[in-house]
Amino acid sequence: MKAAVVRAFGEPLVIEERPDPEPGPGQVRVRVEASGLCHTDIHAAHGDWPVKPTPPFVPGHEGVGLVEKLGEGVTHLSAGQRVAVPWLGRACGRCEHCLSGWETLCEQQVNTGFGCDGGYAEKMLAWADFAQPVPEGVTAFEAAPLACAGVTSYKALKVADVKPAQLVAISGVGGLGHLALQYAKIAGATVAAIDVTDDKLQLATELGADIVIDARKQDAGKELKEHGGAHAAIALAVNPAAFEAVNSGLRRGGKLVMVALPAHGTIQVPIFDTVLNGTSVIGSIVGTRQDLAEVFQLHAAGRTKVIYETRPLASVNESIDAVLRGEIKARVVFDLGAGR
Ligand SMILES: [Zn+2]
Ligand SMILES: [Zn+2]
């Protein structure tokens, strides 16, 4: 089977021929159909963050495909079943976080495409308990972006505790933002979408944004304040200045939910305004298995639209460059060609 491998940080990925991986106890082997390109994969491949994977490794945490082989002890999945293999490859199931519904904070977690090989491959392994069944009516190409971009933005809105009639700012209308916008609308909120490219501002309008802010020409914080200030701002743009801009646009009691992970990111949080206005700054990382099940359920019910373009895995390096240049409207999904 073919896999796109990071051999050294910052170097182009290499397409390698590898033997099919053998599932161990509790694992399954998945024949990958579709695999999304998330910005996190690029940070992993570049070794951008304080925590780094160990090369050689296969990135990708939006792999979706068909279960091909069951490891020992796996009884709840069957061969041929479609599953998604998300960032949360496994968690311990026993710690304070796992037991309190916050498995995404488990310190023993293994992350797909980071701590173990991921979905940029024709075949991959998954821990069966964390491989999420994809419901009927959701294609592999739609399920792939939902497995990270979808669940991460959905969880951010839960963390923000968005309610109907609230104003929610979505900063960055890309792979995550285009879905965050739709979840905010489902929650009943008025949505202000902020971006810096015509394409993405246009996409925001098409997806039903009530207010569209062009951060090249407009001060996002000031614009939000003119609408009374945001109850919640979801920071999805990989630019620390964009975090500060929306933080300044919160109304009293508002919440800044940080989701994007710039390689080197620090923001200034004004103490006086934060105290006086009672605002919060919260980090939110991916979502639980239950969150992902809900994301798939909403999509199967026809309530969300996934914008993506398909490309062959062989284009992995050009695709990464295109994402870094901001040329991709929402999501690149690699077509692994399984089942054809
Ligand atoms: Zn991701
Ligand atoms: Zn745990």
Side-chain angles (χ1 to χ4, degrees):
M1 65 113 184
K2 285 189 173 60
V5 181
V6 175
R7 287 188 179 159
F9 293 132
E11 285 182 16
L13 278 70
V14 181
I15 306 282
E16 281 180 12
E17 189 64 41
R18 290 181 160 193
D20 289 356
E22 274 307 306
Q27 289 186 316
V28 291
R29 183 166 74 213
V30 177
R31 189 153 53 90
V32 181
E33 300 171 287
S35 193
L37 194 178
C38 176
H39 218 118
T40 291
D41 302 329
I42 303 176
H43 290 307
H46 290 175
D48 277 339
W49 293 330
V51 182
K52 299 177 203 304
T54 311
F57 69 96
V58 178
H61 54 275
E62 290 185 351
V64 176
L66 306 173
V67 173
E68 186 178 68
K69 190 172 181 187
L70 305 176
E72 199 190 312
V74 178
T75 53
H76 73 288
L77 295 177
S78 48
Q81 189 172 355
R82 179 170 290 140
V83 294
V85 189
W87 174 251
L88 190 65
R90 70 173 297 182
C92 81
R94 290 181 301 275
C95 72
E96 168 194 346
H97 309 295
C98 284
L99 293 175
S100 60
W102 284 96
E103 60 196 19
T104 49
L105 302 182
C106 177
E107 296 198 47
Q108 309 297 318
Q109 69 184 276
V110 178
N111 297 121
T112 309
F114 203 90
C116 63
D117 284 338
Y120 287 14
E122 289 174 329
K123 303 201 178 182
M124 72 185 299
L125 296 178
W127 279 280
D129 285 343
F130 289 80
Q132 187 70 43
V134 177
E136 279 299 316
V138 179
T139 69
F141 292 99
E142 295 161 343
L146 291 172
C148 176
V151 76
T152 301
S153 48
Y154 180 70
K155 185 62 162 192
L157 284 152
K158 274 193 174 181
V159 165
D161 195 19
V162 171
K163 296 192 168 65
Q166 291 192 334
L167 176 64
V168 175
I170 305 295
S171 171
V173 186
L176 277 81
H178 89 284
L179 289 157
L181 193 165
Q182 296 176 67
Y183 296 128
K185 294 295 286 184
I186 289 171
T190 297
V191 178
I194 304 155
D195 211 290
V196 293
T197 71
D198 294 335
D199 267 9
K200 291 179 178 178
L201 294 168
Q202 171 69 29
L203 177 62
T205 304
E206 284 164 18
L207 292 171
D210 303 282
I211 301 160
V212 173
I213 299 171
D214 182 345
R216 288 169 301 190
K217 303 177 198 146
Q218 295 167 287
D219 177 337
K222 205 165 138 242
E223 292 295 323
L224 292 170
K225 278 282 174 64
E226 274 170 22
H227 289 88
H231 292 85
I234 315 296
L236 306 167
V238 190
N239 172 5
F243 285 62
E244 291 181 354
V246 286
N247 191 45
S248 72
L250 293 175
R251 79 172 58 201
R252 290 193 162 193
K255 297 182 182 120
L256 171 67
V257 182
M258 295 184 167
V259 178
L261 287 166
H264 309 284
T266 306
I267 68 161
Q268 300 269 5
V269 177
I271 297 170
F272 186 83
D273 293 345
T274 304
V275 172
L276 208 74
N277 297 330
T279 55
S280 316
V281 177
I282 315 166
S284 183
I285 177 89
V286 296
T288 63
R289 288 170 283 180
Q290 179 58 29
D291 295 321
L292 182 52
E294 291 169 16
V295 159
F296 282 161
Q297 201 181 319
L298 285 170
H299 194 71
R303 300 189 69 189
T304 51
K305 192 172 167 191
V306 181
I307 312 288
Y308 64 90
E309 60 178 86
T310 58
R311 294 180 172 217
L313 186 62
S315 78
V316 62
N317 293 308
E318 299 96 271
S319 300
I320 286 174
D321 291 343
V323 170
L324 291 175
R325 286 195 302 265
E327 289 168 9
I328 306 297
K329 208 169 177 184
R331 207 58 153 185
V332 167
V333 179
F334 297 118
D335 180 353
L336 277 302
R340 276 199 253 124

